Amino acid sequence: MTGEIVYADLNIPSEWPCLRPPQASQHLEGSGCKLCPATWLLHRDKCYWVSGKMKPWNESRDDCSAKHSQLLVIRDGEELEFIKNSTQDSTFVWIGLSLSSLGKTWIWLNGSQLNQTLFPLPVQDNGNSCGAVKGNRIQSDACTTEYEWICQRETVLI
């Protein structure tokens, strides 16, 4: 089958939002639809997956990597509100935030520093602190503590 062209019929329901003309209240970014894998939640331009299991921060980070994603990097208060609603304040969940090796700065997995104005978080002295979220607040805890975790990945645009 190498080098062959394969055609497929797609059975997409006509009520699928991407096939309907946009409503006056909808905001479309470019053309096309944003898709997430099954069991992932779509919000803006990200897909989110909540684990339902408990692991330490490092294992949570590795699990997200195995899913071709990363632990959640929260951009703003609106995204934090979406996460709060998605987890229903059930428990703390690991996010992609950890204290730098020097123990002075909170760093997201994408390399950016935590905006302390948006998310005030005290600096811990033990150097083994990671970020977790519950409700609308971020808290630090020992990275060896077991929590659920949230993975994120970009949407697929079709």
Side-chain angles (χ1 to χ4, degrees):
M1 199 161 134
T2 303
E4 293 180 22
I5 297 175
V6 177
Y7 295 93
D9 289 326
L10 298 177
N11 186 10
I12 301 173
S14 59
E15 66 273 3
W16 199 36
C18 297
L19 298 178
R20 291 189 300 241
Q23 304 295 318
S25 61
Q26 287 180 320
H27 175 69
L28 295 179
E29 298 174 21
S31 60
C33 289
K34 294 176 182 175
L35 299 177
C36 291
T39 73
W40 290 62
L41 304 171
L42 170 65
H43 180 67
R44 295 196 294 197
D45 59 346
K46 286 186 185 177
C47 302
Y48 303 87
W49 180 83
V50 182
S51 69
K53 298 179 187 174
M54 297 178 78
K55 290 186 179 183
W57 190 86
N58 286 341
E59 291 180 33
S60 301
R61 181 196 59 207
D62 294 346
D63 181 74
C64 288
S65 293
K67 291 174 173 46
H68 305 290
S69 62
Q70 70 175 12
L71 282 171
L72 174 64
V73 174
I74 301 172
R75 293 177 290 196
D76 54 38
E78 196 274 334
E79 186 172 25
L80 182 59
E81 184 69 22
F82 171 77
I83 296 304
K84 173 185 162 188
N85 294 335
S86 300
T87 59
Q88 288 121 25
D89 292 333
S90 57
T91 181
F92 283 102
V93 290
W94 287 127
I95 57 176
L97 186 65
S98 62
L99 203 55
S100 68
S101 58
L102 299 175
K104 305 252 188 245
T105 311
W106 286 99
I107 304 289
W108 291 105
L109 284 177
N110 66 6
S112 64
Q113 287 189 13
L114 174 69
N115 181 338
Q116 292 276 354
T117 306
L118 281 176
F119 310 114
L121 194 58
V123 172
Q124 302 292 329
D125 292 326
N126 64 10
N128 183 22
S129 294
C130 294
V133 66
K134 180 178 181 181
N136 60 357
R137 70 183 177 100
I138 296 175
Q139 163 184 306
S140 66
D141 206 338
C143 299
T144 54
T145 306
E146 292 194 354
Y147 288 143
E148 293 179 9
W149 64 97
I150 300 176
C151 300
Q152 72 174 37
R153 64 189 289 175
E154 297 299 314
T155 57
V156 174
L157 187 63
I158 60 167

